[in-house]
Amino acid sequence: ILSDSKIDFWVLKGIELSQRNYGDPMARTFGDLDVLIPNKAQVGQLRTYLLGRGWLEKFKDEWIDDQPRRDWYMDLRHHISLIDPVHQISVELHWQLDYRFLKLSENKLEGILCSETDAVEILGRTVKVLKPELEYVFLLSHATRHGWSYFKWLVDLHYFTKVQLDTVKQQYWINFFRMWGS
């Protein structure tokens, strides 16, 4: 469905992390599909596309139709949630990696994604994902924002050492977000 929308997206965490770290998309639990769409206008287009196919907003009043208010809201948040009521599949549409620690302008984020993208095959489909060093920093930020509430997040980060992270590049991203992030 996402590919059919013709909107460029990256899969974050969950199923892609399970495939990359453990070789099986179902080896670790996850509650939703997280996708990154760095263009805010395209987030709205994909939301409309999914709603037109029967998906529902997971939370009331999460999307604001008034453009100036929506721009303000999108600066304070980083995703909206939708659910397929037939299959009970939940998707989060992200326009930022993180609204606190890894916030970037659309142009800067799109520029980074041009060079920091890998591809992973999941269940016979190839999807775009973050390169491991950037994903590692994203996962650190995500777990920190949520107070490290799941043990599986520590295990995920441990398994990144098996991917052979480029520690110089990893440190680059940590320093980059210290300087440019919010």
Side-chain angles (χ1 to χ4, degrees):
I1 291 171
L2 293 173
S3 294
D4 290 347
S5 74
K6 306 293 186 218
I7 293 173
D8 218 13
F9 67 92
W10 286 253
V11 177
L12 302 171
K13 310 182 291 157
I15 195 168
E16 76 84 14
L17 185 59
S18 185
Q19 178 67 46
R20 187 186 334 219
N21 277 3
Y22 312 110
D24 180 349
M26 304 313 252
R28 92 187 264 290
T29 61
F30 52 91
D32 55 27
L33 178 64
D34 294 270
V35 297
L36 174 64
I37 304 154
N39 182 302
K40 290 178 184 177
Q42 288 184 336
V43 171
Q45 292 168 3
L46 184 53
R47 175 189 168 270
T48 300
Y49 181 83
L50 292 173
L51 291 174
R53 277 146 191 79
W55 289 61
L56 304 170
E57 292 177 317
K58 195 170 181 180
F59 303 106
K60 187 179 185 266
D61 299 327
E62 194 172 40
W63 187 257
I64 300 168
D65 289 323
D66 176 62
Q67 186 67 48
R69 289 181 57 227
R70 181 173 56 235
D71 290 342
W72 173 81
Y73 172 82
M74 290 178 95
D75 283 343
L76 299 175
R77 302 291 304 172
H78 67 284
H79 76 270
I80 59 170
S81 302
L82 295 130
I83 189 164
D84 175 351
V86 175
H87 301 100
Q88 293 300 302
I89 297 170
S90 179
V91 66
E92 287 184 356
L93 306 180
H94 293 249
W95 52 87
Q96 281 288 339
L97 291 172
D98 185 287
Y99 67 98
R100 288 188 188 153
F101 306 119
L102 306 178
K103 186 175 181 178
L104 299 168
S105 70
E106 280 184 31
N107 290 339
K108 190 166 266 313
L109 181 56
E110 288 175 345
I112 288 170
L113 292 173
C114 285
S115 63
E116 296 303 316
T117 296
D118 272 346
V120 171
E121 187 173 317
I122 303 172
L123 303 172
R125 296 190 188 268
T126 302
V127 296
K128 291 189 295 187
V129 298
L130 303 177
K131 285 189 175 176
E133 295 80 11
L134 180 55
E135 184 174 28
Y136 188 90
V137 173
F138 165 66
L139 293 172
L140 285 172
S141 169
H142 177 262
T144 300
R145 187 169 40 81
H146 288 292
W148 293 90
S149 55
Y150 292 104
F151 181 72
K152 68 181 179 181
W153 294 341
L154 288 173
V155 175
D156 291 336
L157 292 170
H158 167 75
Y159 272 90
F160 263 91
T161 61
K162 298 184 184 315
V163 177
Q164 303 298 322
L165 290 173
D166 178 338
T167 56
V168 172
K169 196 169 191 179
Q170 181 184 8
Q171 190 60 50
Y172 167 82
W173 287 115
I174 290 169
N175 293 336
F176 176 88
F177 284 109
R178 279 185 187 148
M179 184 183 344
W180 292 104
S182 63

